[in-house]
Amino acid sequence: MEKLIKQILNEEVVNIVDIQDELLMMPLDARQQLRDDLADIVDLDTEEEYTVIDENISYKGIPEIKAKNTIGKLLKWVKRYITDKATNFLINASMGEIKDTINLLKVMDPTDTTAIFTPKAIYLGGGIDFAKDALSWRERVEQFFGPNHVVKGDKLFTLVNTGDFNFDGLSTPALLNPLRAETVRDEDEEFQTLFKKWKSNELSPEEFQVFQEKIREQIVHQDLYMLQVCDTNLINFDGTAGAGTFGEAQISALKNQQVFLWLTNGMKLSNVSPWLIPSITKVLVDDELWPFLENFR
């Protein structure tokens, strides 16, 4: 079996990233059906597994004619939804690779909460400085859960200035929105002036030092205090994420926080940094976020 798999993989060179994108772009019900069909194959014993895979791989004709068993039906079904390259990968892969594909499909399924715990506090991460609209999606998440979940006012002020926090009076999951804390962007005229100069590359060395300190104390420290009390990081990955978002994602990984990656604005999994991939708990596309969040309210 192992020799056969190696031979096939040598003959069929595939791009794993392309396949991940193909899977993610499939309709949700198609992804779920594919996951179940692959799981059926994994349940076969070794001898039957060899026979089924060898029989179907060796057959070079029309898949629909040969579709008499589980993997044959899978081949027929997959041909309708994804590219030949992805088909070859799924059919020709070893059982270990098929199991990896099943796990990937589970990660991509908003209705599957396997190994996911109900968050106690969610950080609303994603691009701010380069985003066209950093506010509305965060407000929509807050509205989805309701005002009792939103950390604001004195409780938020105490958290971002001291790191002290308690859940008294809050419904869970509590929502930590960095735009509610980063008031320096709107209230500090000196910061606004320095920000514009930074954008136009006109900061003097002295101004740069002041700007650095304001960023450190009134944005970075505050965001990290919020992230510190969370067990989940929801990242809107719309192509505008900067160093802050990726830095927060790495901290989430180090703290074993859940990372829900929400792909919007046409982003694909192949657009995500390989450094972030191992940290992802769930991948969601566009409107798939809302039925997934429904599991937690």
Side-chain angles (χ1 to χ4, degrees), residues 68-139:
K68 297 179 180 178
N69 50 39
T70 303
I71 198 165
K73 292 176 182 177
L74 174 61
L75 178 57
K76 172 182 176 182
W77 185 86
V78 169
K79 283 279 189 178
R80 298 175 183 172
Y81 288 96
I82 56 180
T83 63
D84 288 340
K85 184 181 289 187
T87 301
N88 288 335
F89 169 74
L90 292 173
I91 302 307
N92 296 344
S94 67
M95 285 300 102
E97 288 166 329
I98 289 178
K99 288 178 181 178
D100 289 342
T101 303
I102 293 172
N103 290 334
L104 178 62
L105 287 163
K106 288 181 178 180
V107 170
M108 293 175 174
D109 186 347
T111 68
D112 192 314
T113 55
T114 303
I116 290 177
F117 56 81
T118 299
K120 190 171 184 180
I122 301 176
Y123 183 77
L124 304 183
I128 293 178
D129 290 322
F130 301 103
K132 291 183 179 179
D133 183 2
L135 179 61
S136 64
W137 77 265
R138 289 179 168 92
E139 289 182 331

Side-chain angles (χ1 to χ4, degrees), residues 189-216:
E189 292 184 2
E190 183 182 23
F191 177 87
Q192 294 170 18
T193 300
L194 293 173
F195 189 89
K196 290 177 181 178
K197 286 190 174 183
W198 166 63
K199 281 289 190 179
S200 58
N201 199 32
E202 297 176 352
L203 285 174
S204 68
E206 294 77 14
E207 289 173 330
F208 180 70
Q209 289 184 341
V210 175
F211 188 56
Q212 274 187 309
E213 190 61 27
K214 284 182 177 291
I215 292 288
R216 181 185 301 112

Side-chain angles (χ1 to χ4, degrees), residues 59-292:
Y59 179 68
K60 301 298 183 181
I62 301 172
E64 284 77 358
I65 297 177
K66 192 66 176 180
K68 297 179 180 178
N69 50 39
T70 303
I71 198 165
K73 292 176 182 177
L74 174 61
L75 178 57
K76 172 182 176 182
W77 185 86
V78 169
K79 283 279 189 178
R80 298 175 183 172
Y81 288 96
I82 56 180
T83 63
D84 288 340
K85 184 181 289 187
T87 301
N88 288 335
F89 169 74
L90 292 173
I91 302 307
N92 296 344
S94 67
M95 285 300 102
E97 288 166 329
I98 289 178
K99 288 178 181 178
D100 289 342
T101 303
I102 293 172
N103 290 334
L104 178 62
L105 287 163
K106 288 181 178 180
V107 170
M108 293 175 174
D109 186 347
T111 68
D112 192 314
T113 55
T114 303
I116 290 177
F117 56 81
T118 299
K120 190 171 184 180
I122 301 176
Y123 183 77
L124 304 183
I128 293 178
D129 290 322
F130 301 103
K132 291 183 179 179
D133 183 2
L135 179 61
S136 64
W137 77 265
R138 289 179 168 92
E139 289 182 331
R140 189 177 174 191
V141 173
E142 291 178 341
Q143 292 166 3
F144 181 87
F145 283 103
N148 291 337
H149 294 260
V150 180
V151 181
K152 56 187 177 182
D154 292 341
K155 189 178 291 289
L156 180 61
F157 180 84
T158 300
L159 170 61
V160 300
N161 284 283
T162 69
D164 294 334
F165 181 74
N166 64 71
F167 287 87
D168 294 347
L170 286 170
S171 299
T172 56
L175 303 176
L176 281 299
N177 179 352
L179 285 180
R180 287 187 172 275
E182 295 177 8
T183 56
V184 65
R185 299 176 186 273
D186 299 319
E187 299 177 359
D188 188 326
E189 292 184 2
E190 183 182 23
F191 177 87
Q192 294 170 18
T193 300
L194 293 173
F195 189 89
K196 290 177 181 178
K197 286 190 174 183
W198 166 63
K199 281 289 190 179
S200 58
N201 199 32
E202 297 176 352
L203 285 174
S204 68
E206 294 77 14
E207 289 173 330
F208 180 70
Q209 289 184 341
V210 175
F211 188 56
Q212 274 187 309
E213 190 61 27
K214 284 182 177 291
I215 292 288
R216 181 185 301 112
E217 293 299 326
Q218 300 185 56
I219 293 182
V220 176
H221 283 181
Q222 292 184 357
D223 289 356
L224 293 181
Y225 272 144
M226 286 188 284
L227 186 64
Q228 174 69 22
V229 301
C230 293
D231 55 19
T232 301
N233 187 352
L234 169 60
I235 301 174
N236 180 3
F237 194 83
D238 61 358
T240 68
T245 299
F246 290 115
E248 291 163 353
Q250 289 305 308
I251 291 174
S252 292
L254 292 172
K255 289 176 59 61
N256 291 318
Q257 295 174 344
Q258 298 181 126
V259 175
F260 300 154
L261 191 70
W262 182 28
L263 299 177
T264 61
N265 198 31
M267 290 293 101
K268 298 180 179 180
L269 203 56
S270 56
N271 298 127
V272 180
S273 168
W275 276 76
L276 181 56
I277 294 291
S279 309
I280 298 171
T281 314
K282 179 66 66 175
V283 179
L284 306 152
V285 181
D286 296 328
D287 286 341
E288 290 180 0
L289 174 69
W290 310 109
F292 177 67

